[in-house]
Amino acid sequence: MDEEEAIRYYFFRRYEYSTILDFLDKYHDIKMSKRTLLNRLKQYGLTRRNCDINEAVLRQHISIELEGAGNLLGYRAMWRKLHLKYGINVPRSAVEILLREMDPEGTRLRQAHRLKRRNYINPKPNNCWHADGYDKLKPYGLPIHGCIDGFSRRVIWLKLEMSNNDPKVIGKLFRDAVIEVGGCPSILRTDRGTENGIMSSGQCFLRRNGTDSFAGLKAHRFGSSHSNQRIEAWWAYLRRSWTSWWINFFKDLIDAGNLDTSNKMHMECIWFCFNKIIQKELDEVREEWNNHYIRKSRHHTASGI
């Protein structure tokens, strides 16, 4: 990196002049005074005041960014991105005005502190099942595992088990669901946990003779738990509508000195006393969810079951 490249690099990262001089000296063995630096900036056409705004160029680059992940950026972040990526040095207010004009919906959502959702596309029932473990009650010895159909949002299973990390347990849940439904989905979506090994193998085996593009090994997809959109969204619903009460209940037991989660006997007693009660409630939650009318969605999903 020569002198001009180094100066441009640090200038577009909004470093103060004194910091730029320190970096030039320390990392590039370039020594100069502040006056020399200012002369270099003037020579390279770099200024932080009285910027000439080429609105057409500015619009073009903002438009490019809005076509991708840049549509999530506010005007401050967009201004920094334009500065760093394209070397466009304009007042922040100019970016704010254009962004309000070019992305009014995104601006409104950001002002309301709401996310801009991506469209979830699922063509038909049983096209893709999303399975995952739910660990909010696991500290109290009550792990849960669930699966949801991506199209209709029908909960396929919702089970309390001694462990949601045992591949045999998860494999049995999948097998029972396939028997109950009368078939397997075209695609099964899970995270990369070892507990999903038997289930993923069973899915690929059942789809081994398929003739579509998702047959065989393509019938199962791995991904991060957080990006498993459908089931993660439903876990959020479960937390709001059901889990929070039980979490508070067990915390009250701990605060009262009646429960010690490090005591194995206490944890066995919790399972003995509550596993049937909680499973019964989970069955009720599943039944209520699967039979309620899903209103028309703004996000291109099924309007009902």
Side-chain angles (χ1 to χ4, degrees):
M1 186 182 294
D2 61 21
E3 180 182 295
E4 181 178 351
E5 290 176 337
I7 291 175
R8 287 182 177 275
Y9 178 85
Y10 296 125
F11 177 84
F12 286 127
R13 277 150 185 79
R14 308 297 297 179
Y15 290 120
E16 296 181 355
Y17 296 145
S18 59
T19 304
I20 294 176
L21 291 172
D22 289 340
F23 284 165
L24 290 174
D25 184 13
K26 183 174 182 179
Y27 298 112
H28 306 277
D29 197 25
I30 299 174
K31 298 182 183 295
M32 65 175 65
S33 66
K34 183 177 180 180
R35 173 54 57 188
T36 302
L37 175 61
L38 293 176
N39 288 335
R40 292 285 194 276
L41 292 174
K42 185 177 181 180
Q43 177 184 340
Y44 303 147
L46 303 176
T47 177
R48 290 177 176 169
R49 295 182 180 179
N50 302 321
C51 307
D52 293 329
I53 304 173
N54 188 328
E55 185 174 329
V57 174
L58 186 58
R59 281 180 178 273
Q60 179 184 0
H61 288 300
I62 291 177
S63 178
I64 291 172
E65 292 303 318
L66 289 177
E67 291 176 359
N71 64 9
L72 298 175
L73 301 179
Y75 73 90
R76 293 181 181 87
M78 180 65 76
W79 173 75
R80 287 192 296 270
K81 192 175 188 69
L82 293 171
H83 205 68
L84 289 172
K85 186 174 180 179
Y86 301 106
I88 296 177
N89 186 31
V90 295
R92 197 160 57 186
S93 58
V95 178
E96 179 183 7
I97 292 170
L98 285 180
L99 204 56
R100 286 179 182 273
E101 175 190 331
M102 299 173 67
D103 187 25
E105 178 65 11
T107 300
R108 184 186 67 79
L109 292 175
R110 283 188 292 273
Q111 289 175 340
H113 302 288
R114 294 183 60 183
L115 294 174
K116 181 180 288 187
R117 297 175 181 266
R118 72 176 180 87
N119 290 337
Y120 175 88
I121 300 175
N122 200 319
K124 59 184 179 180
N126 296 322
N127 179 72
C128 183
W129 288 1
H130 301 259
D132 193 20
Y134 186 66
D135 295 336
K136 298 302 182 184
L137 295 181
K138 196 170 186 177
Y140 314 106
L142 301 166
I144 297 170
H145 200 275
C147 178
I148 192 169
D149 175 51
F151 179 84
S152 64
R153 287 172 277 180
R154 175 175 179 255
V155 177
I156 307 299
W157 71 75
L158 186 63
K159 295 293 184 181
L160 177 69
E161 299 288 349
M162 288 289 288
S163 171
N164 60 5
N165 293 323
D166 187 340
K168 294 180 180 179
V169 172
I170 307 306
K172 182 179 182 299
L173 293 176
F174 177 71
R175 184 202 65 184
D176 293 345
V178 169
I179 294 173
E180 179 183 348
V181 173
C184 66
S186 299
I187 304 168
L188 178 66
R189 175 74 162 74
T190 70
D191 60 30
R192 295 183 179 275
T194 56
E195 71 274 10
N196 296 315
I198 293 177
M199 178 169 60
S200 60
S201 298
Q203 164 71 4
C204 294
F205 176 81
L206 292 174
R207 296 275 291 128
R208 67 191 184 282
N209 295 324
T211 57
D212 57 271
S213 58
F214 299 112
L217 295 178
K218 294 182 179 180
H220 179 262
R221 290 180 183 174
F222 281 118
S224 67
S225 180
H226 294 294
S227 64
N228 201 352
Q229 186 180 7
R230 266 294 186 252
I231 189 70
E232 289 298 326
W234 199 83
W235 289 145
Y237 161 79
L238 187 67
R239 174 63 187 264
R240 293 192 306 270
S241 62
W242 181 80
T243 315
S244 292
W245 188 92
W246 281 102
I247 291 176
N248 292 333
F249 174 79
F250 289 121
K251 284 183 176 179
D252 288 342
L253 290 180
I254 293 173
D255 292 340
N258 296 322
L259 174 61
D260 179 3
T261 56
S262 64
N263 187 313
K264 187 174 181 180
M265 181 62 70
H266 283 201
M267 301 302 284
E268 291 290 340
C269 289
I270 288 291
W271 177 264
F272 179 81
C273 294
F274 292 103
N275 82 88
K276 292 183 179 179
I277 296 173
I278 290 179
Q279 184 59 64
K280 182 176 182 294
E281 290 196 6
L282 288 174
D283 292 340
E284 292 172 355
V285 170
R286 175 176 175 248
E287 186 72 9
E288 291 168 4
W289 173 266
N290 286 348
N291 286 282
H292 89 288
Y293 177 77
I294 300 178
R295 64 187 175 185
K296 188 174 182 179
S297 173
R298 295 169 295 162
H299 307 299
H300 305 288
T301 57
S303 58
I305 297 177

